[in-house]
Structures are given as C-alpha cells and as structure tokens.
Amino acid sequence: MRPGYALYNHRFAAFSARSAATTAAEIAHLIAGRTSALVAAMFFALVLAAQAQESVEEAAWSEPTLPSSEPAPSTQAAPLPSAPESLPSTSAEPLPSSSAPLPSSEEAFPPSSDPWSSSTNYTTAQTSVIGSPAAGGPYGGFSTKNIAVGEPSSQPRRFYYGLQFTVRGVWDDNIFLTHTDKTSDYYFAIEPQLTLGFGDIQGRSRSYLRLDYMPSAILFVNHSDEDAFNQLIHLEGGYNSGRLRLSLIQDVVLLESANLNSFIDTTGLWANTDASGPTRMNIFTTRATAQYDLTGKLFLQAEFNSPTYFYPDHISDYTVSGGLYIYYSWLPKVSVGVGGTFGYNWVDEPTPDQAFEQVNLRLNYEVTAKVGLYASGGVEFRQFDGNRDTYNTPVFEVGLTYYPFDGSTFTLAAGRRIYNSGFEPGQDFANTYVVGRFQQRLFHRLYFGLAGGYENSDYFAADDNVNATRQDDYWFIEPSLDVLITRWLSAGVYYLHREDSSNVDFFSFDDNQVGVRATVRF
C-alpha cells in the first residue's frame, strides 16, 4: 500500500529525462497541471457569483453537522465512488450549565451523510464534534477506504465554521515498522482542525463552497529526529442550475510518516506497506464531475480525475483520466449506470508509462432510511510502453452503511484498484481491501468504537525484464472508548494493532499502539 501524504515539495516535480517524446509528454503534464489550477479558479469564481444571486434564508447563530467531502447519492444523482471520505460534527452551542440536558448521540458524534466517502481513506469513533470531510484517502480523495461512522443529522445554513483542537499521547512499540530490532517510544500528536463552509454544503442541491485544513505535529519523546509535520487540505465547491450539476474537489495531503492519515483517521490505521518504514510523500488529487438530466429518469455524468503521488526520493507518478456514464433511475430508490473510464499514467523511470481503460457498471440503492448501498464494478485493461502485454484485471468499489438502532452505526467498504509502486522498480500492484467500522453509544455519554480492515497487495511486472513476486497481506484492528464530558470537551482511549505479512521479509512488521486523546471544540 502506498503512503497517504507527504511533505513540502511542489505538485509537479520534474520526472526523469527520457526520449524526446517523453520530454514532450512531461511538458504536457506541466501544462495540464497549470491548466487544472486555472480551471479550478474559474470554477470557484463561478460558484461564488452564482451563490451571491441566490436567495438563502439567514442562518441562526449555530452550526450544523458538516457533511463528507462528496455529494450524498440520490435517485437523480449518481453517487461518486469516494471517499470518503466524515466523523463527528455537531452544532456549536453555548457552554452547558448544570441544568443543560446531555446531548444525544447524533449531537455528540454525528457523522457524514456519505458513509463510504474518501478517501478516508478508515477510522475509529473519534470524538470530534465539528465534521471533517472524508477526503485524502491513501490513493486520492475518492477512495472508499475512507468510510466514516455516525448518523447523519443537519439542517441548511448559509455559513458554517468549526474549530477543534485534539491532543493525543501514544506509546508505540515499533515506530520504524521494522521486521526485526523493533524500537519503541512515546509521542504526542497535536492536531487542530479548521472547517469553513458557505452555501448548501449538506444537501448540495444549491451552490456551495467548503474548506477544511488540518495540520498535525508528531513529537517523539526519545527520537526527536523522527518528529513529523503533516498537513491536510480539502477544498470543495458545487453548482446546481437545475438540470446541470457541477462539482470540483481538490485535496492536498503532505505527510512525512508511514501512516496514511486523513481527516477521519489520524491514528494511522492504514500503513504504507509499499514503503514499510517512515517515508515522505505528497499526494495531490483533483476531481471534477458534471451531471446533466436528459429526462426525469435518465441522466449523464462526466468525470475527470487527476491524482499525483510524489516521492521526493523514490518513484513518483502522475495520472489524468476521464469517464462518461449514463444512469437510469430504475426505481424511486434505485439508480443504475453504465459507462467507461480512460486515462494515461506517467511514471518515473525505470517504470514505463501506462495507458488504461475501464468498463464499469454502477448501482446506488437506498434500501431504507437505515440502510444504504453503493457498488461499482468492471474490468480494467492496462497497456505499457514497451514489450509488456496488456494487463487485464477486475476493479470494483462497494460501500454499505447501516443504522440498526439509536446510537448504533455500522459501515463496510471493499474495493480493488491498480497502483504504481513507489519502491519496486518496474512494478505495479493490485490492491484489494475490505474495511469496517462499528460505533455504539453506551450509557448516554460513552461511545464504543471498533474498526478493522484487511488488504492484499499483489505486485506484477510493468516491463518484460522484471520478475515481480512480492505479495503483502496487511490487517489491523482498533477498539476505542470515548466519553463526552461536556458539549465542548471529550476524551478517550484506544488500542491499535496492525501487521503486515510479506513474502519479502524486509517489508513485514507488526505494531502495537496504546493512545489517549482529548478534543476541545470552539
């Protein structure tokens, strides 16, 4: 598995020099990067102009639940296979008095309305009360690994803001994720988070803008040279003119560690098994969609995706892809779609550049108010510059959310995608995963959480001259217990065990962490 996000460096670092044709492709790559930034700026300007013309009721001086990073699926709107991808969020209220009633579970730990959204990317029942987007999953902002837990609750407001401050103290028995000679240490994590929203960020039926920013400082007690500073940035906007709906999402994740952190997972459930030990990496993901209603039951959806995985000292890659899907609202709560995606993948030497195509079927099924299902599946055909034959493989994403009882939430996600290896020259890997989360409110103030996941990384050659035999099996489990002390203060404890079994011993490891955390909301 690849690291989630790394640090500093610009988005489009120059790739290794090749032939004249490759150089031309790199120049096109740079131009495309600047063009996407210009398109993003124009898009958000259009959203602001449209928003200014809308008549929106003045908001009460309180804050609603903030949604996840992508629109909630509906029978008239095709769900995005993302990320995911958020945990708690609730209204900002006056400080509680002795006579103030305790908050409900929805107020205390309300979640995202997009349960399998990215991205993110996996987390426990954290006690943040201002919602965080499910963005910045390990493979970009639309990974279904970033499923969230909780129960959706919100009402429309014109302006949203949220500020929270989380501190964690953790004992880790293998800070370098090594196979032998494990090193333990204590560290402190300082994680403030700012959320700003404008417009209809909950229902996304009108124009909206949203910004989330979370820096994270990791400070070791005995190994200060391993201190890390991570940054996660999520920017999202949408515009709805009736028959036409537009959305644009930009994620920037800068990380120097072996964990794949996201807004909804700061404890590091997923590790960078592709690299194993602590590794710097930057991920930049741009995603845009345009949906147009042809009839009352038929609509088109066009998609654009551009993820960049940049290693300062290893193999980086850059991808541009586009897709077109047609959907049919088969039943009031069921929509089905079919279409294709095509793209091109530039990779640093010695791994060759690659082109790919996908044919996919999609399904969105809102079974009941308590059960929702999203599924996408198909086949990918990947070609390589050189003598390597076409590589054909299934790809899919599945998300399920279930609210069985009051205060209970269960989410499940699974998927399979292809990625370039940053550490195995001339190799890609097929990543197949399943992850689930459960959260239960106990005794009104206590919240029990349980997260678990498994993934398999199967490496294959991207060039005829390479013999790829590596396979990794990674799994984790994390129980947690959190208590809501007041409406603005919560605290909790968690235990994390994660383990990678690789047929290359160097990449195998097991790791145990015990942590305590406290969150203050303003």
Side-chain angles (χ1 to χ4, degrees), residues 124 448-451 477-481 493-497:
T124 94
F448 170 75
L450 180 64
I477 185 170
E478 184 184 67
S480 63
L481 187 65
V493 60
Y494 66 90
Y495 166 72
L496 170 63
H497 175 83

Short mmCIF file of all heavy atoms in Angstrom, two decimals, residues 124 448-451 477-481 493-497:
data_model
loop_
_atom_site.label_atom_id
_atom_site.label_comp_id
_atom_site.label_asym_id
_atom_site.label_seq_id
_atom_site.Cartn_x
_atom_site.Cartn_y
_atom_site.Cartn_z
N THR A 124 -11.66 5.31 13.72
CA THR A 124 -12.35 4.82 14.90
C THR A 124 -13.40 5.83 15.30
O THR A 124 -13.58 6.85 14.65
CB THR A 124 -11.36 4.70 16.06
OG1 THR A 124 -11.40 5.89 16.80
CG2 THR A 124 -9.96 4.57 15.56
N PHE A 448 -18.49 3.47 22.26
CA PHE A 448 -17.56 2.37 21.96
C PHE A 448 -17.40 2.26 20.45
O PHE A 448 -18.38 2.27 19.69
CB PHE A 448 -18.11 1.04 22.51
CG PHE A 448 -17.33 -0.15 22.03
CD1 PHE A 448 -16.08 -0.44 22.56
CD2 PHE A 448 -17.83 -0.98 21.04
CE1 PHE A 448 -15.35 -1.53 22.12
CE2 PHE A 448 -17.12 -2.08 20.59
CZ PHE A 448 -15.88 -2.36 21.13
N GLY A 449 -16.15 2.16 20.00
CA GLY A 449 -15.88 2.03 18.58
C GLY A 449 -15.01 0.83 18.30
O GLY A 449 -14.18 0.43 19.12
N LEU A 450 -15.19 0.23 17.14
CA LEU A 450 -14.36 -0.90 16.72
C LEU A 450 -14.15 -0.80 15.21
O LEU A 450 -15.11 -0.76 14.43
CB LEU A 450 -15.03 -2.23 17.06
CG LEU A 450 -14.24 -3.48 16.66
CD1 LEU A 450 -12.93 -3.54 17.45
CD2 LEU A 450 -15.06 -4.74 16.90
N ALA A 451 -12.88 -0.72 14.82
CA ALA A 451 -12.52 -0.65 13.40
C ALA A 451 -11.61 -1.82 13.07
O ALA A 451 -10.78 -2.23 13.87
CB ALA A 451 -11.82 0.67 13.08
N ILE A 477 -6.73 -3.89 13.64
CA ILE A 477 -7.93 -3.85 14.48
C ILE A 477 -7.72 -2.77 15.52
O ILE A 477 -6.62 -2.61 16.06
CB ILE A 477 -8.22 -5.21 15.14
CG1 ILE A 477 -9.55 -5.14 15.91
CG2 ILE A 477 -7.08 -5.64 16.05
CD1 ILE A 477 -10.05 -6.50 16.38
N GLU A 478 -8.77 -1.98 15.78
CA GLU A 478 -8.65 -0.89 16.74
C GLU A 478 -9.95 -0.71 17.52
O GLU A 478 -10.91 -0.12 17.03
CB GLU A 478 -8.31 0.43 16.04
CG GLU A 478 -8.08 1.57 17.03
CD GLU A 478 -7.82 2.89 16.35
OE1 GLU A 478 -8.75 3.42 15.71
OE2 GLU A 478 -6.69 3.39 16.46
N PRO A 479 -10.02 -1.18 18.76
CA PRO A 479 -11.13 -0.83 19.65
C PRO A 479 -10.85 0.50 20.33
O PRO A 479 -9.70 0.89 20.54
CB PRO A 479 -11.13 -1.98 20.65
CG PRO A 479 -9.70 -2.44 20.70
CD PRO A 479 -9.12 -2.20 19.32
N SER A 480 -11.92 1.21 20.67
CA SER A 480 -11.75 2.52 21.32
C SER A 480 -12.94 2.79 22.23
O SER A 480 -14.03 2.22 22.06
CB SER A 480 -11.64 3.63 20.27
OG SER A 480 -12.83 3.71 19.50
N LEU A 481 -12.73 3.67 23.19
CA LEU A 481 -13.78 4.09 24.10
C LEU A 481 -13.61 5.57 24.36
O LEU A 481 -12.54 6.02 24.77
CB LEU A 481 -13.71 3.32 25.42
CG LEU A 481 -14.87 3.54 26.39
CD1 LEU A 481 -16.18 3.02 25.79
CD2 LEU A 481 -14.59 2.85 27.73
N VAL A 493 -9.71 6.67 24.88
CA VAL A 493 -8.56 5.79 24.85
C VAL A 493 -8.76 4.79 23.72
O VAL A 493 -9.90 4.42 23.41
CB VAL A 493 -8.37 5.08 26.21
CG1 VAL A 493 -9.59 4.24 26.55
CG2 VAL A 493 -7.10 4.23 26.20
N TYR A 494 -7.66 4.35 23.10
CA TYR A 494 -7.78 3.35 22.03
C TYR A 494 -6.54 2.46 22.01
O TYR A 494 -5.48 2.81 22.54
CB TYR A 494 -7.95 4.04 20.67
CG TYR A 494 -6.76 4.84 20.20
CD1 TYR A 494 -5.75 4.26 19.43
CD2 TYR A 494 -6.64 6.20 20.52
CE1 TYR A 494 -4.65 5.01 19.00
CE2 TYR A 494 -5.55 6.94 20.11
CZ TYR A 494 -4.56 6.34 19.34
OH TYR A 494 -3.47 7.07 18.92
N TYR A 495 -6.71 1.30 21.40
CA TYR A 495 -5.61 0.37 21.19
C TYR A 495 -5.59 -0.01 19.71
O TYR A 495 -6.64 -0.34 19.13
CB TYR A 495 -5.78 -0.89 22.03
CG TYR A 495 -4.86 -2.02 21.60
CD1 TYR A 495 -3.49 -1.98 21.85
CD2 TYR A 495 -5.37 -3.12 20.91
CE1 TYR A 495 -2.65 -3.00 21.44
CE2 TYR A 495 -4.54 -4.16 20.51
CZ TYR A 495 -3.18 -4.10 20.77
OH TYR A 495 -2.35 -5.10 20.35
N LEU A 496 -4.42 0.03 19.09
CA LEU A 496 -4.28 -0.29 17.67
C LEU A 496 -3.24 -1.38 17.48
O LEU A 496 -2.10 -1.25 17.95
CB LEU A 496 -3.87 0.96 16.89
CG LEU A 496 -3.45 0.74 15.42
CD1 LEU A 496 -4.62 0.19 14.60
CD2 LEU A 496 -2.92 2.03 14.80
N HIS A 497 -3.65 -2.45 16.81
CA HIS A 497 -2.70 -3.47 16.37
C HIS A 497 -2.77 -3.54 14.85
O HIS A 497 -3.84 -3.66 14.27
CB HIS A 497 -3.03 -4.84 16.94
CG HIS A 497 -2.12 -5.92 16.40
ND1 HIS A 497 -0.88 -6.17 16.94
CD2 HIS A 497 -2.26 -6.79 15.36
CE1 HIS A 497 -0.29 -7.15 16.27
NE2 HIS A 497 -1.11 -7.55 15.30
#
